């Protein structure tokens, strides 16, 4: 096969040597525009896992790379005079030039033709090639030429950064954060050879401009960075090796590149993207070179498996790598956004700031950190518990973050787990009876700190379905009182009431008879901020509320609030999310009013805030009150996370204690981006920008998720829904899974606790045995 690699970076060189090694008969040429052994940049980073992949693919190359690496296990975070260090991270640094030199020599040894100082204009220059690899970098000409096929999406990120070097030696991968009158700057520093380290300086573009760096000459800007980070440099200077760049051009905005496809057929041969031409991952997770080399490994492997069917090999390569790359890019996006918003987190205590940094990508979780550095994690758990006012007893286990108490106003929850409000649709005339006693009572016994009742309606016409619970009558209050008394008498959980009004989404069948479908008979009139059909052409029309309607509905909420207090609930939440009545005022998708309750966000919030203030005045002052919001409508023109911050500020000013950050369900046109903990970033942002407690919801399904969220300060509570439907004792099971035994079970169930813990320990021991031993045991 005749193969041409356009671009002599790591991707092109490594693919060339792997293919030549696979079949010496291949004619392989790598074309590079720079001179031999010429490169820009300083050091690159690999994880121990990446080194393992290289060792399997080509041991001679891996051995030489490993011999040139500077290896470290520690990450050090410096902020406000504090230094936090954790170990076990397993990273290696190597100079980019050294890496390329190793790959170039290996190519030459194997007989790959290296052609330097050749600026390729296009793939048409190589009509004789059977395969063209376009690894021509970030600004790929080939990708641009065939953009219609590759469909690149290039997102220029918010920060400016400059890639510098220094002879200061760093014992750990070091992050340093310094505040100026203009804003925050951060440095990423790591040693990559015996006497040189990479030193990247980064800051949001707005701060970069305020500091005047956009008009400084290169030498002046480097001097600025030296002064700013002097205490970390110990008198050493910073250096640039980008002689071709002048002034502010050395400060780059990182482009996130995502391509829909990686293979183009130009009529002569396939043209395959690889490395930065196909995808980029922010330098803060150190995966750009890793991705390039692993692209090369996978494509060589696919071709080697089916050398007679190149088309199938390319399809397999794209299918496998696109999934793996997307995982890294999603993690890189999380990391990028964290560094773009450092100012959001600097008010956290230094210990928590460092933990938030370590877990920013969501690839590293609480238990993963424990595997890396148990001493660090246990020390952090003790520190976090002390903030909650508890300390572990002598000889006892550290308290996991999810099992630390939480106090709001006069209510203390024993832990951070909340049974999310989950509609059951099994009430008659809005009265909760035996089913709800068993449903909520079982979950109160199951270990959660707070059990929330499902959305409970303030009037008959406020219901979603005829099966929804209510709290507008004495009979309903008595039904709820029975449940609350059971929870208080038989568990140490607290119980909360969520009040809401279905608005335009009301008068429908229970879901198992037709979700969101109007009732066949017995429908009631619907209200909304503006005329609306939730399901176009299907739902009944909701009419816009008059001032008289607003007064009546507000008073209904107040009446239900008083009933909730009389019933003995510990917590009250107002439902302002998911397209229900109050949500219909907040979202511009559903509020088209032209009076004082429409238009600006301030106006759209006017009525929900009016309802909240009236409820807060009627609710006991010593008890907390939260508000559930849709922090993102997932529809263009709808509520955005930026709006969510302002919504939270408005409710905080009105006396709200916590924001329950959900999203969506306002429009059927929504396009959510799902994933584990996918709504947690909304809670994170609201908590750390507004300074109000938050509850995270959505795809939180294991203790590790809850521990990571709470420990990082992304939320104060975690609401868990579907896992609690599957197992009312979810919190107790998760405690046993992570090996935490100092959690209280109901005395009647304690024998089950012991058996569960023994069985889980046995499963762990079996899983750790070598496969043949396990087979013999079976």
């Amino acid at each position: 096969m005749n193969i041409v690699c356009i671009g002599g970076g790591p991707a092109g060189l490594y693919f060339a040597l792997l293919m030549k090694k696979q079949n010496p008969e291949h004619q392989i040429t790598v074309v590079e525009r720079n001179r031999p052994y010429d490169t820009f940049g300083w050091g690159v980073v690999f994880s121990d896992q990446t080194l393992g992949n290289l060792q399997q693919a080509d041991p001679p190359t891996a051995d030489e790379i490993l011999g040139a690496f500077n290896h470290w296990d520690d990450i050090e975070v410096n902020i406000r005079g504090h230094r936090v260090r954790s170990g076990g991270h397993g990273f290696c640094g190597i100079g980019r030039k050294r890496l390329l030199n190793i790959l170039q020599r290996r190519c030459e040894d194997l007989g790959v033709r290296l052609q330097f100082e050749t600026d390729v204009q296009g793939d048409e220059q190589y009509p004789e090639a059977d395969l063209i690899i376009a690894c021509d970098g970030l600004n790929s000409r080939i990708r641009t030429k065939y953009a219609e096929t590759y469909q690149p999406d290039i997102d220029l990120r918010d920060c400016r950064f400059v890639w510098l070097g220094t002879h200061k030696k760093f014992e750990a991968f070091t992050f340093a954060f310094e505040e100026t009158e203009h804003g925050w700057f951060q440095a990423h520093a790591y040693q990559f050879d015996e006497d040189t380290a990479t030193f990247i300086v980064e800051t949001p573009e707005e701060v970069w401009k305020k500091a005047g760096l956009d008009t400084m000459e290169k030498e002046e800007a480097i001097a600025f960075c030296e002064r700013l980070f002097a205490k970390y440099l110990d008198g050493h200077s910073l250096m640039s090796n980008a002689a071709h760049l002048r002034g502010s051009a050395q400060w780059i905005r990182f482009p996130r590149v995502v391509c829909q496809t990686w293979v183009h057929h130009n009529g002569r041969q396939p043209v395959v993207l690889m490395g930065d031409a196909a995808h980029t991952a922010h330098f803060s997770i150190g995966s750009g070179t890793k991705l390039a080399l692993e692209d090369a490994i996978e494509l060589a492997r696919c071709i080697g498996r089916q050398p007679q069917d190149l088309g199938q090999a390319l399809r397999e390569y794209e299918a496998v790598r696109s999934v793996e790359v997307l995982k890294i890019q999603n993690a890189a996006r999380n990391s990028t956004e964290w560094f773009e918003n450092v100012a959001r987190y600097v008010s956290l205590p230094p210990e928590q700031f460092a933990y938030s940094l370590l877990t920013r990508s969501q690839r590293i979780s609480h238990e993963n950190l424990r595997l890396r550095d148990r001493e660090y994690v246990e020390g952090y758990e003790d520190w976090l518990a002390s903030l909650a006012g508890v300390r572990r007893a002598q000889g006892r286990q550290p308290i996991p973050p999810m099992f630390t108490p939480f106090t709001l106003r006069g209510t203390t929850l024993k832990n951070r787990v909340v049974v999310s409000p989950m509609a059951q649709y099994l009430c008659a005339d809005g009265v909760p009876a035996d089913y709800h006693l068993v449903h909520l009572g079982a979950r109160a016994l199951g270990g959660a700190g707070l059990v929330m009742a499902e959305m409970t309606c303030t009037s008959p016409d406020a219901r979603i379905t005829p099966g929804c619970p209510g709290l507008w009558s004495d009979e309903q209050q008595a039904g709820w009182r029975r449940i609350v008394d059971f929870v208080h008498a038989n568990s140490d959980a607290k119980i909360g009431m969520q009040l809401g009004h279905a608005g335009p989404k009301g008068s429908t069948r229970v879901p198992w008879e037709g979700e969101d479908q109007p009732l066949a008979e017995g429908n009631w009139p619907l209200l909304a901020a503006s005329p609306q059909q939730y399901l176009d052409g299907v739902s009944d029309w909701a009419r816009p509320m008059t001032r008289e309607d607003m007064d009546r509905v507000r008073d209904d909420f107040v009446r239900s609030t008083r009933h909730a207090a009389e019933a003995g609930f510990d917590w009250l939440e107002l439902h302002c999310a998911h397209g229900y009545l109050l949500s219909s005022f907040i979202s511009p998708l559903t509020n088209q009013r032209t009076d004082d309750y429409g238009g600006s966000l301030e106006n759209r919030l006017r009525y929900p805030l009016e309802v909240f203030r009236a409820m807060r005045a009627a609710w006991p002052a010593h008890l907390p009150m939260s508000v559930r919001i849709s922090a993102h409508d997932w529809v263009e023109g709808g509520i955005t996370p930026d709006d969510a911050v302002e919504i939270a500020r408005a409710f905080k000013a009105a006396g709200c204690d916590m924001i329950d950050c959900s999203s969506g369900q306002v429009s059927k046109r929504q396009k959510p981006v799902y994933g584990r903990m996918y709504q947690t970033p909304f809670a994170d942002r609201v908590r750390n920008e507004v300074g109000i407690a938050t509850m995270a919801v959505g795809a939180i399904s294991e203790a590790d998720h809850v521990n990571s969220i709470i420990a990082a300060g992304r939320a104060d509570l975690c609401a868990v829904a579907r896992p609690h439907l599957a197992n009312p004792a979810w919190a107790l099971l998760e405690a046993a899974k992570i090996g935490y035994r100092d959690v209280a079970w109901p005395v009647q169930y304690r024998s089950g606790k012991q058996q569960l813990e023994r069985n889980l320990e046995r499963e762990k021991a079996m899983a750790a045995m070598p496969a043949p031993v396990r087979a013999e045991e079976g």
Side-chain angles (χ1 to χ4, degrees), residues 31 163 330 395 606 674 738:
V31 187
W163 199 288
N330 286 341
R606 192 182 302 273
Y674 292 115
I738 62 174

Side-chain angles (χ1 to χ4, degrees), residues 87-89 355 358-359 361-374 376-377 702 704 708:
H89 298 282
Y355 182 98
L358 291 172
T359 59
S361 72
Q362 294 186 9
R363 283 199 303 168
I364 298 177
S365 67
H366 192 72
E367 292 306 315
N368 187 272
L369 269 182
R370 193 189 307 278
L371 288 174
R372 294 168 184 238
D373 190 341
R374 177 175 290 274
Y376 162 74
V377 169
E702 57 188 65
D704 204 15
S708 299

Side-chain angles (χ1 to χ4, degrees), residues 253-384:
R253 286 176 63 192
F254 186 85
R256 182 177 187 264
V257 177
V258 178
C259 291
Q260 293 300 308
T261 61
W262 298 357
V263 181
H264 172 80
H265 295 273
N266 62 15
R268 299 181 303 275
Q269 70 271 99
V271 183
V272 183
L273 296 182
M274 190 179 286
D276 284 351
H279 46 69
T280 59
H282 193 257
F283 59 83
S284 62
I285 67 167
S287 291
T289 304
K290 160 194 166 70
L291 289 176
L293 295 175
E294 291 178 352
D295 282 354
I297 292 171
E298 186 59 39
L299 182 52
R301 182 184 295 134
C302 290
I303 295 174
R305 275 200 295 261
Q306 39 205 345
Q308 305 307 317
D309 192 346
L310 181 59
Q312 178 59 30
L314 295 179
R315 286 189 291 273
E316 185 179 332
Y317 159 72
E318 186 174 44
V320 172
R321 284 303 293 159
S322 61
V323 172
E324 293 305 310
V325 167
L326 185 60
K327 291 177 184 177
I328 297 294
Q329 286 191 308
N330 286 341
R333 182 194 63 226
N334 295 335
S335 180
T336 305
E337 291 177 355
W338 194 94
F339 281 106
E340 288 173 341
N341 295 284
V342 163
R344 180 187 299 163
Y345 302 108
V346 292
S347 295
L348 293 173
E351 295 87 348
Q352 194 164 46
F353 178 89
Y355 182 98
S356 177
L357 184 154
L358 291 172
T359 59
R360 68 195 180 278
S361 72
Q362 294 186 9
R363 283 199 303 168
I364 298 177
S365 67
H366 192 72
E367 292 306 315
N368 187 272
L369 269 182
R370 193 189 307 278
L371 288 174
R372 294 168 184 238
D373 190 341
R374 177 175 290 274
E375 183 178 354
Y376 162 74
V377 169
E378 291 188 353
Y380 183 72
E381 287 175 334
D382 287 343
W383 173 84
L384 199 64

